[in-house]
Amino acid sequence: MMSFMKGRVLVVDDDTALAEMLGIVLRGEGFEPSFVADGDKALAAFRETKPDLVLLDLMLPGRDGIEVCRLIRAESGVPIVMLTAKSDTVDVVVGLESGADDYIVKPFKPKELVARIRARLRRSEEPAPEQLTIGDLVIDVAGHSVKRDGQSIALTPLEFDLLVALARKPWQVFTREVLLEQVWGYRHAADTRLVNVHVQRLRSKVEKDPEKPEIVVTVRGVGYKAGPA
Amino acid sequence: MSQNSAASAPGRSGTRVGRPVGRAGSHWARLLEGGLLQGGVQGSPVLRLILRWVRRPLLPVMRLWRRNIQLRVVVSTLLMSLGVVLLLGFVVIGQVRNGLLEAKVKASQSQATGGFAVAKQKADEVVTGTGDDGSAADGRESQNVIQWMSDLVASLSSGGQGAFDVVTLPAGGNAGGGRGPRASGTVDPTASVPEDLRARIGEGTTAARSYTRIVYKTGGKAPQPGLVIGKQLNDPNGDPYQLYYLFPLTQEEKSLSLVKGTLATAGLFVVVLLGAIAWLVVRQVVTPVRMAAGVAERLSAGRLQERMKVTGEDDIARLGEAFNKMAQNLQQKISQLEELSRMQRRFVSDVSHELRTPLTTVRMAADVIHEARGDFDPVTARSAELLADQLDRFESLLADLLEISRFDAGAAALEAEPIDLRDVVRRVVSGAEPLAERKGSRIRVVGDQQPVVAEADARRVERILRNLVVNAVEHGEGRDVVVKLAAAGGAVAVAVRDYGVGLKPGEATRVFNRFWRADPARARTTGGTGLGLSIALEDARLHGGWLQAWGEPGGGSQFRLTLPQSLDEPLRGSPIPLEPTDSRRNRGLHDAGGPRDGDKRATVPAQPPTAPTPLPRDPIVPRLAMVPPTADPTALPGSGARVVARPAAGARRAEDTAGGAGDAGGPDGAGDVAGADSADAAGEAAGAGSAEADTAAPDTGGPDAPDAGGPVPDAPSAGTAGAAENAENAENAENAENTDGPAEDAGRPVAETEPGRAADGRKSEVGPEGAQKEHGEAFRGR
């Protein structure tokens, strides 16, 4: 499938020093970085380079990161990792809601960054043919598709992973921490808001009525589970 | 209605409504409730019950009366005008009646006088006429008199058919000889003439009059009021008889009732109209007032753009203008403050971003250099290591600073959901294991059999606990760290206990100060930003919880986090006593069979939830007054002795050194004896010990507290604990270091006891602070 481990990374950041440093680190890890410093040019650069992952600074001249994120997400499911200097709730949640898969708060350690990037690129290394059903959804794991009554539903890779993780063990209730580990690849407990936001996004796509979820059910005080299969 | 009641009615209503309207209601209500309904029936539960039962249906009415000024004014106006109208009516009616009757009496009298004269004349005529006959037969004679009488009545009454009637009655009891009662028309002669008038007339020969009811013999005609004028006369035989003129007052009665009816109608109209006018007038005043009240309510609810409508230039308009001006100013100030707060937040956010971006680059560069340090010469390699290490520190310091400024800007938001604190503790403990291994200590978790669930922000709680556990491990000197969980009474608590160097007196509060360090000499080796506990405290406050510290020198310390189980419920107590049961004092008490104070301390108060942390005055306060705890033999760990174990000795020491500080040992014994939970803090407050503490002691409320400050070092029971102990228990007192002497310290606090109330916590625990200070003095002296 895709060249996992190594991949093209588009760095959208206006701080040239940081961008350069990111380039050094990414190259050192075997990625192919490309750079764009302006929010207005980000989309064009994205179309041109077709990266496997986007590193996106939230504060950009021109279009801001949130807007860029939304635009990229509108035409591609490519993983987006936000770089943010603000760990405040609102900023993070807005970023995640605009479509980012993950975020990393400045200042970060190079290793941490690389680990996050790898986690986002490491998906489905050897997709075994596998068919899952959850509610009235049919999930083709290898084909990376979700269908309801023959109609396919477009999900980002992260949302797909989240759904598959839940659907594989419909009898199990997943805590947010477990989901963070399985889907996002965090080894230590991190911000559970990631899970909340992405579950909401997933629901808005796969649920018939997102207000009354039947596919991804909240277990109050614990976490989430796949609805009755 | 009688004259009497007519006079009293306006009087009554006058006293009632004659007062200023605004106060009248409340005054009466107070009188009714206070004096009548409560004061009067004290001590009689049955009566009180009955009164309450009677009062209950009246309550809504009374409430309406109290709350509705319009109702009060209208009712008062109605009552007042009713009184005035009634008074007026009675006066007018009285005058009309008097006038009517006077005229009638005058006319009647002249009529009657004429009639009496005629009767007398007729009798005289008969006497002269029959005198010629000489002696007529007796039978004839009486026959004649009967006839004469009937004639007389007929002739006298013929002149006034309907206007009056004539009645003759025998004088005295002499009814014989045909002198029976006679009457013109159908008047009942005997029933229509009152007895007392008959008696009066019988006494003399003058005419007399009286009011009466004229009764008619034949049915159909109702008795009617009348005036009767009578006189005693002689008949032709010279026998006396009584002649009465009866004047019916029908006409006058009619006139009077007409006047009455007119007056009543007019009065009713006047009253109703006055009520309506009052209603309208009050409405004119009350409506704007109500509008103002409504606008004020909305303003205070946060809708700052609300304004009153102002029309005209009258007082109401002035009120409106003033109100609007006030609202305008308020709005301005609030928006100014909001703007400031927003700017501050914005600034923090911007600084954060501006600092972090270059820091990220530096950080990454440093890491790259650090990775490659193997290729460098030793000096450069070491430099690379230092660079990386210090960058870590810089980073965490920056993060903490930003976090603190976020709290200061009020930008910290709580994301609470029900969490099981056991999970958090588990994560924290497993995170701290590596450090504990390095330090050679173990972390034990106690009380995790049952779920400990509370509505809390997991991220923040984890941060608090991580801080506490890491601190405990770092200062635990390789001894075990115990993490204890408990839930009870709407609160959950996690206590982290270590057996390390502990806290010196007064430090229990200061540990939460920003950049405060336990030991300046050790400060730089243990790392940390000096902000950890400050942030933890802010995090706890954000939950409406408490974070408190206890420690004894050499005996370790305990930090306790108490959180409400549900966010909207205030904390009243903590399931875990702040002072652990294995503190040296408690062990000492236990050994001596004294009261286990530690168990009672579950309700010891906390810091006020909103009180700001004192600003860092001096990052590191040199604590010259303190000698190292190891220098104090009684303070050695495990000695089992109290710092001031022997009260007499302790007191003597305190006296010697603190100069009249007096009884350092005794007072806490008093506190202990006081026993009650709430008295506990009081005992401690009193434990300030100096004679001057006396001034504060009475306010502390502990029943034995006043004794506590007694200057005589009376040796208390085995339960004695020294002032030092109190000092160590201090949780959140103000720092006393800047005050000059123990006396001042002890005197300053007006310790309140209600320790259950968080808001009072600070106050109530200033007392112990005084004790600390004093203890400090004692230490120095030794």
Side-chain angles (χ1 to χ4, degrees), chain B residues 514-528:
Chain B
R514 293 173 189 184
F515 296 113
W516 186 85
R517 283 176 194 283
D519 191 342
R522 287 162 48 105
R524 300 297 165 205
T525 60
T526 48

Side-chain angles (χ1 to χ4, degrees), chain B residues 589-616:
Chain B
L589 291 179
H590 189 58
D591 293 345
R596 298 278 308 248
D597 200 21
D599 298 332
K600 291 182 298 183
R601 300 185 56 84
T603 51
V604 162
Q607 60 272 8
T610 52
T613 321
L615 289 173

Side-chain angles (χ1 to χ4, degrees), chain B residues 483-694:
Chain B
V483 181
K484 191 172 171 189
L485 291 111
V492 298
V494 183
V496 180
R497 170 88 163 108
D498 70 70
Y499 298 91
V501 289
L503 295 172
K504 296 189 202 82
E507 288 186 349
T509 10
R510 254 163 280 165
V511 288
F512 297 109
N513 289 2
R514 293 173 189 184
F515 296 113
W516 186 85
R517 283 176 194 283
D519 191 342
R522 287 162 48 105
R524 300 297 165 205
T525 60
T526 48
T529 61
L531 287 171
L533 281 176
S534 311
I535 292 175
L537 183 64
E538 296 285 357
D539 273 333
R541 279 179 187 163
L542 201 61
H543 284 87
W546 304 337
L547 181 61
Q548 294 145 298
W550 167 93
E552 52 191 358
S557 60
Q558 170 156 298
F559 284 77
R560 180 184 73 181
L561 170 71
T562 314
L563 298 176
Q565 266 178 335
S566 133
L567 279 181
D568 19 270
E569 274 176 42
L571 271 183
R572 283 188 306 276
S574 177
I576 301 177
L578 181 59
E579 184 180 342
T581 46
D582 58 353
S583 73
R584 267 181 286 138
R585 180 168 78 110
N586 278 335
R587 270 181 292 155
L589 291 179
H590 189 58
D591 293 345
R596 298 278 308 248
D597 200 21
D599 298 332
K600 291 182 298 183
R601 300 185 56 84
T603 51
V604 162
Q607 60 272 8
T610 52
T613 321
L615 289 173
R617 267 175 283 173
D618 263 317
I620 297 155
V621 182
R623 296 184 52 74
L624 298 174
M626 298 297 169
V627 291
T630 45
D632 182 356
T634 54
L636 278 176
S639 74
R642 298 289 319 121
V643 176
V644 194
R646 289 170 299 278
R652 208 178 307 126
R653 243 195 331 258
E655 267 181 342
D656 290 343
T657 54
D663 177 11
D668 195 61
D672 280 340
V673 174
D677 280 0
S678 59
D680 216 76
E684 284 175 22
S690 70
E692 285 84 353
D694 238 340

Side-chain angles (χ1 to χ4, degrees), chain A residues 132-164:
Chain A
L132 298 168
T133 54
I134 167 172
D136 52 356
L137 293 181
V138 179
I139 307 168
D140 177 3
V141 179
H144 207 270
S145 76
V146 178
K147 287 182 177 166
R148 166 179 283 140
D149 307 334
Q151 294 273 324
S152 73
I153 299 171
L155 295 181
T156 70
L158 182 92
E159 287 154 7
F160 186 80
D161 288 354
L162 185 57
L163 187 61
V164 167

Side-chain angles (χ1 to χ4, degrees), chain B residues 169-237:
Chain B
L169 290 173
N174 180 13
R179 288 179 291 272
R182 277 181 187 75
S184 68
T186 54
V187 174
D188 181 344
T190 43
S192 296
V193 178
E195 282 298 324
D196 62 325
L197 182 67
R198 289 183 67 176
R200 257 194 293 154
I201 285 174
E203 282 163 14
T205 53
T206 49
R209 66 168 190 272
S210 168
Y211 295 108
T212 183
R213 293 194 75 74
I214 300 172
V215 184
Y216 297 95
K217 271 191 268 189
T218 47
K221 208 164 177 197
Q224 49 181 315
L227 178 69
V228 55
I229 301 175
K231 192 174 182 182
Q232 183 144 316
L233 295 169
N234 290 332
D235 64 6
N237 291 343

Side-chain angles (χ1 to χ4, degrees), chain B residues 685-715:
Chain B
S690 70
E692 285 84 353
D694 238 340
T695 52
D699 290 327
T700 58
D704 294 342
D707 303 333
V712 183
D714 68 335

